[in-house]
Amino acid sequence: MSITFPQGFRAAGIAAGLKSSGAADLALVVSDGPLDVAAAVFTANRVQAAPVQWSRQAVADGRARAVILNSGGANACTGPDGFADTHRTAEHVGALLELSAQDVLVCSTGLIGERLPMDALLGGALTARDALEGGASAGADAARAIMTTDTVEKTATATTPSGARVGGMAKGAGMLAPQLATMLVVLTTDAVVDAATADEALRSATSTTFDRVDSDACMSTNDTVILLASGASGVETTAEELTDALRQVSSELARSLVADAEGASHDVHVVVTGAGTEGAALAVAREIARSNLVKAAIFGNDPNWGRIVAAAGCVPESVAPFDPARLGVRVNGVQVCRDGGAHEDRSTVDMTPRETLIEVDLGAGTAKGDIWTNDLTHDYVEENSAYSS
Amino acid sequence: MSITFPQGFRAAGIAAGLKSSGAADLALVVSDGPLDVAAAVFTANRVQAAPVQWSRQAVADGRARAVILNSGGANACTGPDGFADTHRTAEHVGALLELSAQDVLVCSTGLIGERLPMDALLGGALTARDALEGGASAGADAARAIMTTDTVEKTATATTPSGARVGGMAKGAGMLAPQLATMLVVLTTDAVVDAATADEALRSATSTTFDRVDSDACMSTNDTVILLASGASGVETTAEELTDALRQVSSELARSLVADAEGASHDVHVVVTGAGTEGAALAVAREIARSNLVKAAIFGNDPNWGRIVAAAGCVPESVAPFDPARLGVRVNGVQVCRDGGAHEDRSTVDMTPRETLIEVDLGAGTAKGDIWTNDLTHDYVEENSAYSS
């Protein structure tokens, strides 16, 4: 189902010829209203692709009706000409749908620094427009068209207690993904909601889901998460209900991004407890999740707590106050480190499951935070060194 | 030559049985004065090995006469017992040399979380004491005894214009090095210098040499750089002369650390120019040097400027103000990116030399800064996943 699960949405996914493989590479999502509410969050990278620059300003008024997404080219670092290409795409799709270009958001993913083949893209937009429909297969087609190195399409749905629906699709193959693992997500809902509430709910939901995935510490120029609200269910949800449903869908999609990191052999959940603040817990969790030595050890099925403790020690005390002599570490349930030193025999840790749980207790408070990452593998190196050559 | 190049020093490197291979694993360096001036810099990791804790307090008075260094065990995360082991080592070496334990500095490198075999270590200290001599071969023996995954011993020497000598030895195999790539360095000089000048000169020299090596962003629990000054030449150098000679030796040793990263196939020099401040230049250089996607691309001989620009964009504007649309990137001399977009054909870049030069112009000022790193390779993953299992 995915993005067509809520009422008031049509979608399409087609092959426009952007990918040399001939695979689907263009997706179109349209909200038929009655509402045209929209919200979005974008990459914090200062080098922002043309579609990010466009969509950021287009959604600033809290309104949008359509999203066009292409794989096969990021349209990043393409200068004013690249921005003109995005603008022209929005104008063209707007004309096809009888919308203002300002109500058309654009997402792109692929190689940085190359112009898009505009004839193929604009021709594909027409094909996609003609293929728009509201059924389940249309949602799946759209989810497939935004895949790059993803092996499966990623979709999720949820329903609020009051009966409004939320659907979502995502692309991004975690740490393996070449070209900075661009993450593109479209969420849809038929709840009746105003722009301010939609924006707040989206930011809250992404902050504890997509923002907690840190597969290789590399932030894309194109990351985008868009929410469209059609209002077609007529159901007025509370902000909390909507946030919960968005969080449920986002969490499922985020987890599927980690699970589809083909280059990875483990999905690693780093959970830090006993922190003074959530920010401190997240800083420590992120440092551990970004340590190449920790990640390589996990690939080798080695519960190397020394590297985990050492990574924690790299976080400045001003960011996360704790006493290194009180650190505790559990790996897959075995307390391999207690009070900063060796405890249970690490040879008893079973590292064979794909999911690895690293629990670190800072012994400095009651706050906690978690990050999902992957291990560092030969396949990661292979796929990220061979991609563009 | 190395540490015995200046007058007034003796050294030894012997096999104490700490390494199961039977290779040399214990080094002893002694200053015979007349001065007993010393200075040191240590890891910024908050998880500090017992020898770091000991040496930091022992050198606080600006005085030391001897350094004992062992490979085969880091003595980190070993709690009060581990600290007692280090203390006992210093007491023992002090007794052997008729020195106060406070004048004996200790360095260790190897696996985290395991106690050292103290009988072997203390017995080895006696053997090392009896082997002390001032010749060139003694310096080489000591340099070999601190190697872990290093393939060659690393030594360097320099002479000040006024005739004082500086020598140095280092261990650390760059990014490949398992167990957090611990870097241990001993520098010696026969210049007549006071403790304050020695401390200032050492900090200045290391800040632009060892501090500019960032092979895999992982900071060790044991990193230590020690300077001993014997004063035996009778030559009073200026602070500037001494700093220059220390910087020359440190630079050579730092470069040799990068060159000996066996897991690496490229040594990567990231030079950022056109920054508002040196701090801004270094922040951008470090972010690029730490990007797994940049490093994997270099392994694949791919001058992927898009990943370089995207890494630069991850540095917050408050840290390094620049306009992404003005970024320029040269790889091995070819300007592949200008004004934030594609420029010269990247297929013309020759990536086959081991040394890769990445030059980034921020177009925002006149300051510059550089970082040395290595590429991300299959061997890095292999050696860091298989080491302790």
Side-chain angles (χ1 to χ4, degrees):
Chain A
M1 292 301 292
S2 90
I3 49 168
T4 50
F5 175 62
Q7 298 174 62
F9 291 95
R10 289 175 297 151
I14 60 105
L18 303 172
K19 286 180 178 167
S20 55
S21 66
D25 49 23
L26 193 69
L28 183 60
V29 183
V30 178
S31 163
D32 288 320
L35 297 182
D36 59 359
V37 165
V41 293
F42 301 97
T43 180
N45 198 313
R46 291 160 64 193
V47 178
Q48 307 212 330
V52 169
Q53 295 175 27
W54 169 264
S55 298
R56 187 191 295 280
Q57 68 183 43
V59 81
D61 61 359
R63 298 170 52 228
R65 281 278 194 179
V67 186
I68 183 154
L69 311 94
N70 73 275
S71 50
N75 197 8
C77 300
T78 45
D81 291 339
F83 187 81
D85 288 342
T86 293
H87 189 178
R88 193 165 150 220
T89 303
E91 293 273 4
H92 182 73
V93 172
L96 290 173
L97 297 171
E98 297 180 1
L99 299 173
S100 157
Q102 293 292 326
D103 288 336
V104 179
L105 308 183
V106 182
C107 297
S108 300
T109 179
L111 216 78
I112 291 177
E114 297 186 3
R115 299 280 298 279
L116 291 170
M118 288 304 292
D119 287 348
L121 182 59
L122 299 183
L126 176 59
T127 307
R129 195 277 312 266
D130 292 341
L132 283 171
E133 54 176 275
S137 65
D141 289 346
R144 263 194 299 277
I146 58 174
M147 289 164 57
T148 50
T149 54
D150 308 64
T151 61
V152 293
E153 66 262 32
K154 299 170 183 69
T155 64
T157 61
T159 305
T160 68
S162 52
R165 293 175 164 190
V166 171
M169 68 177 186
K171 68 101 0 190
M175 76 178 302
L176 143 281
Q179 302 315 319
L180 304 162
T182 288
M183 183 186 75
L184 300 182
V185 180
V186 177
L187 303 172
T188 55
T189 182
D190 53 18
V192 176
V193 60
D194 61 43
T197 303
D199 185 69
E200 193 180 340
L202 179 66
R203 286 176 195 282
S204 175
T206 55
S207 71
T208 59
T209 54
F210 296 115
D211 288 355
R212 300 287 175 88
V213 174
D214 190 334
S215 47
D216 64 357
C218 294
M219 186 161 46
S220 162
T221 53
N222 290 59
D223 286 343
T224 303
V225 182
I226 290 169
L227 169 65
L228 299 179
S230 70
S233 69
V235 175
E236 295 189 23
T237 64
T238 64
E240 192 181 356
E241 273 185 1
L242 178 63
T243 302
D244 285 348
L246 288 174
R247 181 172 285 123
Q248 182 183 329
V249 169
S250 297
S251 177
E252 197 174 322
L253 292 174
R255 183 68 185 82
S256 69
L257 292 175
V258 171
D260 194 26
E262 306 97 321
S265 66
H266 292 83
D267 303 341
V268 186
H269 194 195
V270 183
V271 180
V272 174
T273 59
T277 62
E278 185 186 29
L282 286 172
V284 174
R286 202 174 286 277
E287 190 80 20
I288 294 167
R290 289 183 171 186
S291 163
N292 278 351
L293 290 173
V294 170
K295 292 153 78 98
I298 294 171
F299 170 57
N301 287 332
D302 172 12
N304 195 318
W305 63 268
R307 295 182 183 182
I308 295 167
V309 165
C314 291
V315 178
E317 187 160 15
S318 58
V319 173
F322 63 84
D323 177 358
R326 293 198 58 194
L327 284 177
V329 179
R330 286 177 187 273
V331 179
N332 285 349
V334 178
Q335 183 140 20
V336 285
C337 169
R338 186 170 166 180
D339 290 335
H343 191 58
E344 289 185 71
D345 182 358
R346 70 187 201 177
S347 71
T348 63
V349 180
D350 179 9
M351 296 289 285
T352 55
R354 182 172 171 103
E355 187 166 323
T356 303
L357 176 61
I358 296 177
E359 296 169 287
V360 176
D361 184 350
L362 300 181
T366 57
K368 62 182 180 176
D370 68 314
I371 295 285
W372 279 95
T373 189
N374 295 105
D375 55 352
L376 180 59
T377 69
H378 287 301
D379 285 351
Y380 176 84
V381 173
E382 187 63 25
E383 303 217 25
N384 284 293
S385 60
Y387 182 76
S388 74
S389 53
Chain B
M1 294 300 293
S2 89
I3 48 169
T4 50
F5 176 62
Q7 298 175 61
F9 291 95
R10 288 176 296 151
I14 60 106
L18 303 171
K19 285 180 180 167
S20 55
S21 66
D25 49 21
L26 194 68
L28 183 59
V29 183
V30 179
S31 163
D32 288 321
L35 297 181
D36 59 359
V37 166
V41 294
F42 301 96
T43 180
N45 198 312
R46 291 159 64 192
V47 178
Q48 306 211 331
V52 169
Q53 295 175 27
W54 168 264
S55 298
R56 188 191 295 280
Q57 68 184 41
V59 81
D61 62 359
R63 298 170 51 227
R65 280 277 194 181
V67 186
I68 184 155
L69 311 94
N70 74 277
S71 50
N75 197 7
C77 300
T78 46
D81 291 340
F83 186 80
D85 288 342
T86 292
H87 189 180
R88 193 166 151 219
T89 302
E91 293 273 6
H92 183 72
V93 172
L96 290 173
L97 297 170
E98 298 179 1
L99 297 173
S100 157
Q102 293 291 327
D103 288 336
V104 179
L105 308 183
V106 183
C107 298
S108 300
T109 178
L111 216 77
I112 291 177
E114 297 185 5
R115 298 279 299 279
L116 290 170
M118 287 304 291
D119 287 349
L121 182 59
L122 298 183
L126 175 60
T127 309
R129 195 275 313 264
D130 292 343
L132 282 171
E133 54 176 275
S137 65
D141 288 347
R144 263 193 300 275
I146 57 174
M147 289 164 56
T148 51
T149 55
D150 308 65
T151 61
V152 294
E153 66 264 30
K154 298 169 184 69
T155 63
T157 61
T159 306
T160 69
S162 52
R165 291 175 167 191
V166 172
M169 67 176 187
K171 67 100 5 190
M175 74 180 302
L176 141 280
Q179 300 317 317
L180 303 163
T182 288
M183 182 185 76
L184 300 182
V185 180
V186 177
L187 303 172
T188 55
T189 182
D190 53 19
V192 176
V193 61
D194 61 43
T197 304
D199 185 69
E200 193 180 339
L202 180 65
R203 287 177 196 283
S204 175
T206 55
S207 70
T208 59
T209 54
F210 297 115
D211 287 357
R212 301 288 175 87
V213 174
D214 190 334
S215 48
D216 63 359
C218 294
M219 187 162 43
S220 162
T221 53
N222 291 59
D223 286 343
T224 303
V225 183
I226 290 170
L227 169 64
L228 299 180
S230 69
S233 68
V235 175
E236 296 190 22
T237 64
T238 64
E240 191 181 356
E241 273 185 1
L242 179 63
T243 302
D244 285 348
L246 289 174
R247 181 172 285 124
Q248 183 184 328
V249 169
S250 298
S251 177
E252 197 174 323
L253 291 173
R255 183 68 186 81
S256 69
L257 292 175
V258 172
D260 195 26
E262 305 96 319
S265 65
H266 291 83
D267 304 341
V268 186
H269 195 195
V270 183
V271 180
V272 174
T273 59
T277 63
E278 185 186 28
L282 286 172
V284 174
R286 202 173 287 278
E287 191 80 20
I288 294 167
R290 290 183 171 185
S291 163
N292 278 352
L293 290 174
V294 170
K295 291 153 78 99
I298 294 171
F299 170 57
N301 287 332
D302 172 13
N304 194 318
W305 63 267
R307 294 182 183 181
I308 295 167
V309 165
C314 291
V315 177
E317 187 160 15
S318 58
V319 173
F322 63 84
D323 177 359
R326 293 199 57 193
L327 284 177
V329 179
R330 285 178 186 271
V331 179
N332 285 349
V334 179
Q335 182 139 22
V336 286
C337 168
R338 186 171 166 179
D339 291 335
H343 191 57
E344 290 186 71
D345 181 358
R346 70 189 202 176
S347 71
T348 64
V349 180
D350 179 10
M351 296 289 287
T352 55
R354 182 170 170 104
E355 187 165 322
T356 303
L357 176 60
I358 296 177
E359 296 168 287
V360 176
D361 184 349
L362 301 181
T366 58
K368 62 182 179 178
D370 68 314
I371 295 284
W372 279 94
T373 189
N374 294 107
D375 54 353
L376 180 59
T377 69
H378 287 302
D379 285 351
Y380 176 85
V381 173
E382 188 63 25
E383 303 215 25
N384 284 294
S385 60
Y387 182 76
S388 73
S389 55

